[in-house]
């Protein structure tokens, strides 16, 4: 295939997260191969996924059967304890087939890692009776939280909860009352089971429609026990309560140094998928007339050749940035050392910039497709809309992230999350 050089390179096993410490865990190459095998099915179903505005239960079952949701889950519950570099390999491969499906798989997979940071009792609540369970998430603390004996009462609405239709649990952002009068509330997360919330079907959007990112509603004050709470400060420091029982140091990676790869990885695959779709299109399409003249193969036009080269370079650059940073995060954390502020802020810069590069790769080929590329059944236009939706996520928003990076480089106090 002409674009074979763009596919995932042979796995670099020197990245700590690409090696599982779990006896009997499948090799990463086997898991990535399973993702590759699903790409044709995901491509075939991509338009139907967008129309349905959610990923089908059949696709989620295929992800489960392939072991993707076990990738970062603790071994105590049957997981493989791979790290973030392995995650990038698997999810970016799925992104070649369908951005929304890869996104939903990413949400379920990476939040197994996050659940592993909650206290042991919370992990037992989620996985003891159902080791196959996974969670969706809304980080914004838009509900209300009231402290009571043994826990808290929460209620409200949380938006943009991707893959909510297929999830057994939800992780919700919350602001907990300050422990001392006159001090600000403390941000954190709570784990809530499916029986305690409802779904508002309000996800009608121009991009990433297939993610089913609807609203979770808790209509009346609902009790959440203390053991189902995780504070942001603990997750960001790499010293979450779950590390007492999950001793693999992959669970000590600071949250903001690596968690955003779950948003970037589907887009890395989308960039590759757009180039592949474009190369295939160029091999069959003949111009019908206009200023270019009729009967010429699209592949023979210089601007087309230039755009596909540009797109391949952008996609490759995006992947290299993310892989370099994430490998370093794993190596530093597994060595027992803390990440520096410089490293943390550079990582946040590269999360956003890699997403921008991948979006630009899709833009490059979409700009050369011509009028026929606007058809609703043309995959590249869907990839273009999906990629533009992803870079608008607040975690990847270049204006927000770059200003924080610029502040740091100029010797100012960086204002943002890192």
């Amino acid at each position: 295939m002409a674009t074979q050089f763009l596919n995932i390179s042979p796995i670099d096993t020197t990245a700590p997260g690409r090696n599982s410490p779990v006896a009997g865990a499948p090799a990463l190459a086997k898991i990535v191969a399973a993702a590759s095998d699903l790409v044709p099915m995901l491509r075939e179903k991509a338009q139907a996924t967008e129309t349905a505005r959610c990923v089908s239960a059949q696709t989620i079952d295929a992800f489960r059967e392939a072991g993707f949701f076990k990738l970062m889950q603790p071994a105590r519950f049957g997981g493989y304890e791979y790290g973030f570099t392995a995650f990038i390999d698997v999810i970016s491969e799925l992104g070649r087939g369908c951005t929304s499906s890869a996104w939903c798989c990413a949400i379920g997979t990476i939040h197994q890692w996050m659940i592993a940071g909650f206290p042991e009792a919370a992990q037992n609540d989620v996985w003891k009776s159902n080791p196959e369970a996974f969670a969706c998430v809304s980080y914004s603390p838009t509900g209300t939280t009231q402290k009571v004996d043994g826990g808290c009462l929460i209620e409200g609405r949380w938006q943009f909860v991707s893959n909510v239709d297929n999830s057994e649990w939800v992780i919700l952002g919350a602001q907990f009352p300050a422990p001392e009068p006159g001090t600000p509330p403390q941000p954190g997360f709570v784990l809530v089971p499916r029986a305690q919330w409802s779904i508002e079907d309000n996800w009608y959007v121009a991009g990433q429609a297939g993610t089913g990112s609807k609203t979770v509603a808790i209509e009346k004050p609902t009790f959440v026990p203390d053991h189902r709470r995780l504070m942001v400060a603990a997750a960001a420091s790499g010293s979450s309560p779950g590390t007492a029982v999950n001793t693999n140091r992959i669970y000590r990676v600071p949250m903001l140094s690596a968690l955003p790869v779950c948003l970037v990885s589907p887009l890395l695959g989308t960039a590759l998928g757009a180039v592949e779709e474009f190369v295939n299109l160029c091999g069959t399409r003949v111009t019908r007339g206009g200023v270019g003249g009729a009967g010429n193969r699209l592949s023979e036009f210089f601007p087309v050749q230039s755009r596909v080269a540009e797109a391949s370079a952008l996609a490759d650059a995006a992947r290299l940035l993310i892989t370099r940073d994430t490998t370093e995060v794993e190596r530093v954390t597994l060595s027992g050392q803390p990440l520096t502020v410089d490293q943390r802020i550079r990582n946040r810069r590269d999360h956003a910039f890699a997403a921008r590069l991948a979006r630009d790769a899709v833009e490059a080929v979409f700009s050369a497709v011509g009028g026929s590329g606007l058809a609703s059944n043309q995959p590249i236009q869907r990839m273009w809309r999906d990629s533009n939706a992803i870079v608008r996520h607040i975690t990847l928003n270049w204006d927000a992230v770059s200003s924080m990076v610029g502040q740091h480089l100029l010797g100012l106090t960086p204002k943002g999350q890192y």
Side-chain angles (χ1 to χ4, degrees):
M1 183 178 180
T3 54
Q4 185 65 37
F5 75 97
L6 285 174
N7 293 343
I8 292 175
S9 303
I11 291 172
D12 174 12
T13 56
T14 63
R18 287 184 171 131
N19 295 278
S20 170
V22 179
L28 179 57
K30 182 177 180 180
I31 302 173
V32 173
S36 298
D37 290 343
L38 289 174
V39 168
M41 179 271 285
L42 296 177
R43 283 178 175 160
E44 182 179 348
K45 296 181 67 172
Q47 188 171 359
T49 298
E50 178 171 71
T51 300
R53 296 180 299 108
C54 68
V55 175
S56 70
Q58 292 77 16
T59 297
I60 295 297
D61 286 344
F63 292 162
R64 272 200 173 101
E65 185 176 347
F68 301 152
F69 299 126
K70 293 182 178 295
L71 193 71
M72 305 185 78
Q73 187 178 20
R76 297 184 305 115
F77 300 100
Y80 306 149
E81 297 194 5
Y82 277 105
F84 292 89
T85 44
F87 172 91
I88 293 167
D89 293 340
V90 173
I91 299 301
S92 62
E93 185 67 6
L94 294 175
R96 292 174 49 231
C98 172
T99 314
S100 288
S101 297
W103 179 277
C104 288
C105 187
I107 295 296
T109 299
I110 209 162
H111 288 101
Q112 304 291 60
W113 173 86
M114 188 169 178
I115 293 170
F118 278 79
E120 182 180 13
Q123 298 174 51
N124 288 333
D125 287 349
V126 176
W127 290 319
K128 190 170 184 178
S129 63
N130 181 14
E132 303 294 325
F134 61 80
C136 50
V137 65
S138 177
Y139 293 123
S140 298
T142 54
T144 60
T145 308
Q146 177 185 351
K147 178 64 178 169
V148 294
D149 288 343
C152 64
L153 298 175
I154 64 167
E155 65 178 311
R157 283 169 172 75
W158 289 260
Q159 292 181 295
F160 312 132
V161 188
S162 298
N163 203 30
V164 64
D165 294 288
N166 296 302
S167 301
E168 292 85 6
W169 290 75
V170 66
I171 300 170
L172 299 174
Q175 289 282 12
F176 296 99
E180 301 292 337
T183 59
Q186 297 180 321
F189 308 103
V190 292
L191 263 168
V192 187
R194 179 67 185 85
Q196 294 183 335
W197 40 271
S198 60
I199 301 171
E200 294 183 357
D201 187 0
N202 54 3
W203 185 244
Y204 295 90
V205 291
Q208 286 287 76
T211 62
S213 303
K214 303 167 185 176
T215 295
V216 161
I218 298 178
E219 301 288 352
K220 59 182 181 180
T222 297
F223 179 72
V224 178
D226 275 333
H227 71 263
R228 288 206 220 124
R229 179 177 69 177
L230 175 64
M231 304 308 295
V232 168
S237 70
S239 58
S240 58
T243 58
V245 288
N246 298 317
T247 57
N248 185 341
R249 292 194 65 85
I250 206 71
Y251 298 113
R252 288 188 174 273
V253 171
M255 181 179 70
L256 289 170
S257 293
L259 197 64
V261 302
C262 77
L263 310 180
V264 181
S265 296
L267 187 47
L268 297 177
T270 301
L272 297 179
V275 174
E276 291 167 356
E277 290 283 355
F278 185 69
V279 169
N280 292 334
L281 177 66
C282 289
T284 59
R285 185 175 165 197
V286 175
T287 59
R288 292 177 294 178
V291 295
N296 294 311
R297 287 172 104 45
L298 192 62
S299 59
E300 295 171 351
F301 287 89
F302 167 77
V304 169
Q305 299 161 359
S306 180
R307 291 294 82 74
V308 76
E310 178 185 2
S312 69
L314 288 164
D316 202 25
R319 186 179 181 83
L320 285 169
L321 269 181
I322 289 298
T323 303
R324 179 200 68 180
D325 291 0
T326 308
T327 298
E328 182 181 73
V329 166
E330 292 174 343
R331 285 179 177 152
V332 170
T333 303
L334 269 64
S335 73
Q337 300 300 311
L339 288 164
T340 66
V341 172
D342 285 345
Q343 289 169 320
R344 288 170 177 258
I345 290 182
R346 183 210 59 189
N347 291 348
R348 294 293 299 116
R349 179 200 69 186
D350 291 351
H351 294 148
F353 196 69
R356 189 178 177 185
L357 290 172
R359 186 276 314 272
D360 289 349
V362 181
E363 179 77 42
V365 294
F366 183 60
S367 67
V369 168
S372 63
L374 298 174
S376 60
N377 64 352
Q378 218 303 322
I380 296 176
Q381 59 79 27
R382 182 178 56 254
M383 295 173 177
W384 178 76
R385 288 185 287 107
D386 288 347
S387 63
N388 275 281
I390 290 174
V391 297
R392 282 162 174 76
H393 193 288
I394 187 58
T395 303
L396 303 177
N397 182 279
W398 180 246
D399 288 340
V401 175
S402 64
S403 61
M404 175 183 69
V405 176
Q407 290 158 4
H408 178 64
L409 293 175
L410 294 169
L412 305 173
T413 301
K415 297 177 181 178
Q417 296 180 324
Y418 57 90

